[in-house]
Amino acid sequence: MIVGRSLKPFRRPWLWSGLWSIAIATVVVFSLIPAPQLPDLPPGGDKWEHFLAYAALAAYAVQLYDRWPSLLGAGLSLALLGIGLEHAQGALTETRMMDRWDALANTLGVIAGLATRMTPWRDALLNFDLRRA
């Protein structure tokens, strides 16, 4: 077992990790600020937004992490973040409410994003990084 090597061998790991951190922070902020006035969505349409946001975060984790235990930890952390943010919406905001179906959509998005590890695109960011020297 290789100790201390969780990320893929990027030339600029700080850049790609930093962008992922910014994406996660953006999801946290947009989950807790007052809901913007958006056009009405079809019933259940917001669940797709939750699903896609967490699928994108998890797919980005697939791009970053080389080892399955690290990737599994990132996925579990994202799922717990989605559940925790739903609870925080109910407890810490007056304009949002907790919705267990949103938490489920977040978790299913994480699973879908992690599944990209089984595709040929799992190393797309690494290939881009190494090519752009």
Side-chain angles (χ1 to χ4, degrees), residues 54-91:
Y54 282 83
L57 290 175
Y60 198 107
V62 168
Q63 296 299 311
L64 287 177
Y65 290 106
D66 194 26
R67 297 175 49 236
W68 179 244
S70 300
L71 187 56
L72 188 60
L76 182 59
S77 297
L78 287 172
L80 291 173
L81 175 68
I83 293 166
L85 284 173
E86 284 304 316
H87 284 283
Q89 284 179 348

Side-chain angles (χ1 to χ4, degrees), residues 74-125:
L76 182 59
S77 297
L78 287 172
L80 291 173
L81 175 68
I83 293 166
L85 284 173
E86 284 304 316
H87 284 283
Q89 284 179 348
L92 303 176
T93 70
E94 295 179 11
T95 59
R96 302 260 184 153
M97 60 182 220
M98 184 180 88
D99 184 347
R100 69 181 63 169
W101 298 111
D102 286 349
L104 178 62
N106 297 343
T107 303
L108 292 175
V110 170
I111 293 167
L114 292 179
T116 64
R117 186 171 195 259
M118 298 181 284
T119 70
W121 302 291
R122 68 184 165 268
D123 291 324
L125 184 61

Side-chain angles (χ1 to χ4, degrees), residues 1-7 66-67 69-70:
M1 181 165 132
I2 300 171
V3 177
R5 189 175 152 256
S6 295
L7 294 179
D66 194 26
R67 297 175 49 236
S70 300

Side-chain angles (χ1 to χ4, degrees), residues 4 8 19 25 48 53 80 90 93 102 130:
K8 293 179 181 178
L19 289 175
W48 283 107
L80 291 173
T93 70
D102 286 349
L130 295 177

